[in-house]
Amino acid sequence: MTETEPGKQAAVNHNNSVGSRVFDVLNVVALVGLALITVLPLIYVLAASFATEPEIASRPFFLWPEKIVTEAYEYIFATPTFIRSLLTTVIVTAVGMVVQVMLTFTMAYPLAKRYLPGRTLVLNLVIFTMVFSGGMIPTYLVVRDLGMLDSYWALILPLAINPFYLIIVKSFFQELPQALEEAARIDGCNEMGVFFKIVLPLSKPIIATFSLFYAVAIWNDYMSPLLYITDPDKWTLQILVRQLVATDPAAALSQMDRTWVPPEQGVKFAIIVIATLPILFFYPFLQKHFAKGVLIGGVKE
């Protein structure tokens, strides 16, 4: 029988000690508690969207409805206002994501070159915007003077480049092997060719990461449509959710098809579920890129 080395024995004793076990149990309890705090409200909203109006009024909290009904969803998908708002939000999110990602990457790439004239000044201006902002009223005046009120571009262009994302992408570009770019230039590629044929294919993890970040921000944004969109026919889904949940439901529902009386509380929960599902659906497919995309772009100069 061989003797256990002192270091291994200490590790075994530490792992099997009472304090270590108590610490592990407390960690599990805390994590389970946080998970329940996060998940239970989502389950309640989902369950309430399939419940009847009397059950929603009589039961303050439940995770499974006594009777499953689909009236709220039938009403929502039969409503022209909802279909229009959903399509508007999908299109604005898709176009906005592409525009914002392209602007961010095309600005970050030249700023990653240390020989660029005026690079330090531009970077200082970018960092300045991370600390100081013009504010809501000056931004509104700029959007108005550019003629973008009641335009979907007002939901995309004012926040087209996030300075924090720009700094991370710039750091990522600086860590790419310079030999690949030099080889491409020797083969006859210009700067645009190097960017599109060499740099972007190597940037798939960080492109996926920040594409989702921008898409989530546009999808969840209701302040910009609230400020810049006055035409109800151009409402986004978040404005419709706000009208149903945060203001008078009757006034919001009056914009919809009133061929039958909808379950007002059920409609609230159902439209919240529908507004949340797209992000929850796409998130798992891009999750594997998050850690790699953010960490690989967070390398210091």
Side-chain angles (χ1 to χ4, degrees), residues 49-51 67-77 260 263 270:
S49 67
F50 289 100
K67 180 182 179 182
I68 297 178
V69 295
T70 59
E71 294 179 359
Y73 290 97
E74 292 174 2
Y75 177 77
I76 287 176
F77 284 103
W260 77 81

Side-chain angles (χ1 to χ4, degrees), residues 13 46 69 77 89 118 132 137 146 171 188 203 216-217 238 247 261 276:
N13 291 338
L46 180 62
V69 295
F77 284 103
T89 305
F132 301 98
I137 295 177
L146 291 176
S171 299
S203 308
V216 170
Q238 302 307 326
T247 62
V261 178
T276 308

Side-chain angles (χ1 to χ4, degrees), residues 235-249:
W235 275 0
T236 62
L237 187 59
Q238 302 307 326
I239 289 294
L240 188 60
V241 172
R242 178 184 179 275
Q243 292 296 107
L244 286 171
V245 177
T247 62
D248 183 13

Side-chain angles (χ1 to χ4, degrees), residues 267-290:
V267 167
K268 285 184 181 181
F269 291 112
I271 201 168
I272 291 174
V273 170
I274 296 172
T276 308
L277 280 180
I279 300 301
L280 293 180
F281 177 77
F282 286 107
Y283 188 93
F285 295 99
L286 298 176
Q287 184 181 12
K288 62 181 180 180
H289 298 293
F290 286 175

Side-chain angles (χ1 to χ4, degrees), residues 102-122:
M102 286 303 301
L103 290 178
T104 300
F105 277 66
T106 52
M107 182 176 180
Y109 178 67
L111 291 178
K113 307 303 179 183
R114 292 182 172 86
Y115 56 79
L116 179 71
R119 171 180 179 269
T120 302
L121 174 61
V122 175

Side-chain angles (χ1 to χ4, degrees), residues 76-277:
I76 287 176
F77 284 103
T79 302
T81 302
F82 169 77
I83 300 298
R84 183 170 58 248
S85 299
L86 179 61
L87 291 177
T88 297
T89 305
V90 170
I91 294 173
V92 170
T93 300
V95 174
M97 178 190 67
V98 173
V99 171
Q100 293 179 352
V101 168
M102 286 303 301
L103 290 178
T104 300
F105 277 66
T106 52
M107 182 176 180
Y109 178 67
L111 291 178
K113 307 303 179 183
R114 292 182 172 86
Y115 56 79
L116 179 71
R119 171 180 179 269
T120 302
L121 174 61
V122 175
L123 285 176
N124 289 334
L125 292 175
V126 170
I127 295 173
F128 181 84
T129 63
M130 296 174 63
V131 183
F132 301 98
S133 172
M136 182 184 299
I137 295 177
T139 303
Y140 178 86
L141 295 178
V142 171
V143 172
R144 183 198 64 183
D145 292 343
L146 291 176
M148 292 193 299
L149 290 181
D150 259 344
S151 169
Y152 295 132
W153 289 112
L155 311 181
I156 299 172
L157 295 182
L159 301 175
I161 298 178
N162 185 302
F164 178 67
Y165 297 167
L166 177 68
I167 297 298
I168 295 178
V169 176
K170 176 194 74 70
S171 299
F172 170 78
F173 286 155
Q174 289 179 175
E175 298 303 317
L176 292 178
Q178 295 298 316
L180 293 176
E181 298 183 19
E182 294 173 0
R185 293 189 183 95
I186 293 174
D187 289 338
C189 276
N190 55 19
E191 287 296 336
M192 295 299 293
V194 172
F195 178 69
F196 284 104
K197 296 180 180 179
I198 304 298
V199 175
L200 288 186
L202 295 174
S203 308
K204 291 180 181 179
I206 203 167
I207 290 175
T209 300
F210 291 107
S211 294
L212 187 62
F213 286 172
Y214 276 124
V216 170
I218 298 174
W219 183 274
N220 291 333
D221 183 25
Y222 82 90
M223 182 57 68
S224 296
L226 184 65
L227 290 174
Y228 307 132
I229 304 297
T230 58
D231 186 357
D233 292 337
K234 296 182 178 181
W235 275 0
T236 62
L237 187 59
Q238 302 307 326
I239 289 294
L240 188 60
V241 172
R242 178 184 179 275
Q243 292 296 107
L244 286 171
V245 177
T247 62
D248 183 13
L253 292 173
S254 66
Q255 301 288 337
M256 300 182 178
D257 182 13
R258 297 306 300 268
T259 56
W260 77 81
V261 178
E264 291 190 1
Q265 297 300 320
V267 167
K268 285 184 181 181
F269 291 112
I271 201 168
I272 291 174
V273 170
I274 296 172
T276 308
L277 280 180

